[in-house]
Amino acid sequence: MRDKVVVKWGGGLITEKNQLCTVDRDIIRSLVGTIITCHGNDLDVILVHGAGSFGHLRAKQWRLNEGKIDPSNFIADDFCSTQEQAVKLVRKDMLTLNSIIMEELTRADISAAVLSPHKWVNGTGESFQGDLTFFAGAPEGIVMVTYGDVVDCDEPLQFGILSGDDLVTRLAIEVPNVKRLVFAIGGVDGILRCPPDRASEDDLIEIWSPDIEFEGEHKSDIDVTGGIGLKAARGAKVAQNGIEVMMVSGQHPQRVADACIGVATRGTKVVYNVK
Ligand code: IPE
């Protein structure tokens, strides 16, 4: 069986995060090119993408990350009047974003299959329930795709938000032959010592382990999932299992490609413990 790489395309990278349901096709196309590089280097790819403006804005408005809550908390808008309708709408928007990615993969002659989390996952966080064997059993050269989604949860929650960061953690650790996990992120080169608006070139943390503090930016007014802090924590857990973990700027496709094939590049290598 060929080696595999698990790649997360951040939602903030592939969409305009503040503008409802707006995609950045040029970035997606350049990222698709990095998958071709992986295949050319005998690596299979498991692709997980985020939500960006196809998920966070409406999920935040309807507090879908909190599960089912008292309907009196909400005022109907032109699109939905209940949390249940919002669940359906966000799932539909995520299918739209995913279909754009699948379209770009097909355009590049890459065969891919998608497993939408709302069809196979129950629960949120890294201990979600769901069968990962389809990802393990994919034929050589077929890209298995999944993404952050609204998933069913047990009562009393009924539903919740599963982050792509939790999916990549489980996939990297549990699917056999995964050599690397690469986070392609938007707006930053990796983990910075201070928030991006104050950071200079030298503030990139090139090797990060959980004992290193950083002031990560998390736009909690927009995001319903964890931002860079969640990626860092999940990444360390994956690294603890002997898998290489890199965070790189997805605006530089060469860095994404290099990180995937194991060539040193600008970004943050996440380790469990600095020796
Ligand atoms: C969030 O998934 C899913 C929804 C809001 C529906 P992610 O946590 O993987 O998304 P990004 O990368 O932050 O956009």
Side-chain angles (χ1 to χ4, degrees), residues 8-12 17 49-52 55-56 59 90 94 148-150 161-165 223-225 231:
K8 163 95 194 273
W9 294 352
K17 219 163 177 175
H49 65 81
H56 288 279
V90 175
M94 286 307 299
D149 201 3
V150 190
I161 301 289
L162 177 70
S163 172
D165 296 345
D223 272 18
V224 287
T225 52
K231 287 179 190 30

